[in-house]
Amino acid sequence: MPATNAAGGERKYWGVIPMMPAPMLSDMTKRMEDIGFEGATALQIYGPPWPSLSVAAAATSRLKVATGVAVAASRSPFETAMIAMDMDRISQGRFILGLGTGVSSVNVGSYGVPDYKLITHMRDTVAAVRHVIGNAHKGLSPYRGAYYSADFQELMLTAPPVRENLPIWVAALRERLTDTALEIADGLIVHSLWSVDYTVEQGPRIAAKLAEFGRERSAVEINAWPWVAVNDDEQAAVDDARPTVAGYAGIKEYEPFFAARGFLKEAKLCQQGDQSNSLAVMHHVPDEMVKAFVACGSVDQVLEQLEPFWSVVDSLCPMSPYRHLNMEKLTFYGAGLHRLVAAAKR
């Protein structure tokens, strides 16, 4: 009998696609579709995630495409809704809008948006995007939100969307935003710092919150992003993953996740160093700390380490460590993710 996910359905795997020349990206996403990936997702670090997803959608026929994530505050909810409908049309109904709050210091300091409350803004964005997608082709009534308001008086009717109920997933790190996603979104994207142990611990709380909000488990897809370093030389995998763990441990905001796994002292030592150079502090990160947050080893070893996730999640989007790895190693670990998914699908 095939192994199932937490909702009793098929186990699904997503993959992150980079920004690269279109022919290379087309080849990559075609391979992903052939291997059996559920979908491809693209990150918004600074630039928007739409271009690479458009190439992926055009190159494939079954692969879903999703933003993982689009930063909600970096554009108007109206623009987000319009481009989401465009992406769903390009992909012929295969698009998922993944939204994240981003980091206030970046949103205010780089995008130049006014200071705001992250969760209130996310609620407003999701409500406004749904209002526009569901009604722009029929006639939009005015929208009045905490941050976004519009009367739409000059708006011409748009073409009907491919789907009026286009799925919206919300990314979360801590409990308050997790609860918000479980209440208002169609999916919850959990941060890579949700280690396998932490995710399992959150299972009962997620179930309780869904019950509190009167929602069925099937109404929300839970999508985890574990760090994975596939390498038959397990120690080499640990060593290559160490700078990534050190980099995240050096960020004060993430300290509670390391403390919860018993690595508070190590995280504080990492915070004392230069945050742009995790190589300078990675000697504070022991092997056990790496293994707590990164599944390392052969394909079979990694699949075994990831197994507990499936008691809580519907889908996984494994990511390889990336800090201070050259292109050869990035390519090596990227190929390892494809081997992992191929083995899991078999």
Side-chain angles (χ1 to χ4, degrees):
M1 183 176 179
T4 58
N5 61 22
E10 178 186 357
R11 295 182 175 185
K12 295 171 282 189
Y13 288 86
W14 287 73
V16 179
I17 57 175
M19 182 63 68
M20 59 172 58
M24 297 172 62
L25 191 52
S26 294
D27 289 343
M28 173 184 284
T29 51
K30 287 175 183 175
R31 287 197 304 273
M32 291 172 66
E33 186 170 69
D34 291 341
I35 288 169
F37 278 82
E38 177 77 4
T41 187
L43 305 170
Q44 176 172 1
I45 303 300
Y46 298 112
W50 327 110
S52 55
L53 293 176
S54 296
V55 175
T60 59
S61 59
R62 302 183 307 278
L63 196 73
K64 294 178 182 177
V65 291
T67 50
V69 294
V71 177
S74 66
R75 63 188 63 82
S76 159
F78 180 79
E79 181 184 356
T80 297
M82 287 296 166
I83 199 164
M85 288 190 284
D86 287 345
M87 288 299 308
D88 209 35
R89 198 174 310 282
I90 290 169
S91 65
Q92 296 177 292
R94 291 180 282 144
F95 179 67
I96 294 169
L97 177 62
L99 292 173
T101 59
V103 180
S104 290
S105 59
V106 175
N107 296 341
V108 175
S110 295
Y111 291 119
V113 303
D115 198 9
Y116 63 98
K117 294 181 179 179
L118 296 176
I119 294 176
T120 303
H121 186 277
M122 178 59 71
R123 286 182 174 276
D124 195 15
T125 298
V126 171
V129 168
R130 285 190 171 138
H131 178 67
V132 173
I133 292 176
N135 298 286
H137 62 296
K138 296 181 287 191
L140 278 167
S141 59
Y143 178 87
R144 298 285 181 265
Y147 291 100
Y148 174 71
S149 295
D151 59 25
F152 306 113
Q153 288 185 4
E154 300 298 324
L155 182 69
M156 296 183 294
L157 293 183
T158 66
V162 175
R163 293 176 293 172
E164 290 186 15
N165 58 340
L166 191 152
I168 300 176
W169 295 2
V170 170
L173 174 64
R174 299 180 187 276
E175 289 182 348
R176 284 187 62 209
L177 192 51
T178 298
D179 295 348
T180 301
L182 294 172
E183 180 185 359
I184 69 172
D186 304 298
L188 164 65
I189 305 171
V190 301
H191 197 279
S192 295
L193 282 174
W194 281 43
S195 65
V196 64
D197 291 340
Y198 182 84
T199 303
V200 171
E201 291 167 6
Q202 290 298 304
R205 186 178 181 282
I206 288 172
K209 282 295 176 181
L210 286 171
E212 178 183 327
F213 299 136
R215 305 190 73 187
E216 297 292 331
R217 174 61 181 80
S218 59
V220 182
E221 173 145 348
I222 300 177
N223 174 248
W225 286 49
W227 278 316
V228 168
V230 176
N231 191 330
D232 290 339
D233 184 339
E234 183 181 0
Q235 187 59 53
V238 171
D239 292 339
D240 288 336
R242 199 182 317 275
T244 293
V245 177
Y248 278 81
I251 299 173
K252 178 69 174 177
E253 182 181 9
Y254 300 142
E255 184 181 288
F257 290 88
F258 292 96
R261 303 271 70 83
F263 298 106
L264 176 60
K265 179 185 72 174
E266 291 82 357
K268 285 187 175 296
L269 288 170
C270 289
Q271 290 167 30
Q272 295 173 11
D274 177 5
Q275 300 312 307
S276 66
N277 181 17
S278 53
L279 292 176
V281 296
M282 72 176 188
H283 61 281
H284 296 305
V285 178
D287 288 3
E288 294 75 18
M289 185 172 170
V290 176
K291 292 179 181 179
F293 292 93
V294 185
C296 299
S298 67
V299 165
D300 289 341
Q301 287 175 305
V302 168
L303 286 173
E304 182 178 356
Q305 293 168 57
L306 296 179
E307 182 61 31
F309 272 111
W310 295 112
S311 66
V312 179
V313 309
D314 302 289
S315 55
L316 291 178
C317 183
M319 294 199 306
S320 59
Y322 61 93
R323 290 212 176 193
H324 297 289
L325 296 185
N326 59 30
M327 186 55 65
E328 182 180 0
K329 284 193 173 181
L330 289 172
T331 301
F332 173 81
Y333 285 109
L337 294 178
H338 285 202
R339 291 195 291 118
L340 178 81
V341 174
K345 299 303 290 186
R346 285 198 297 269

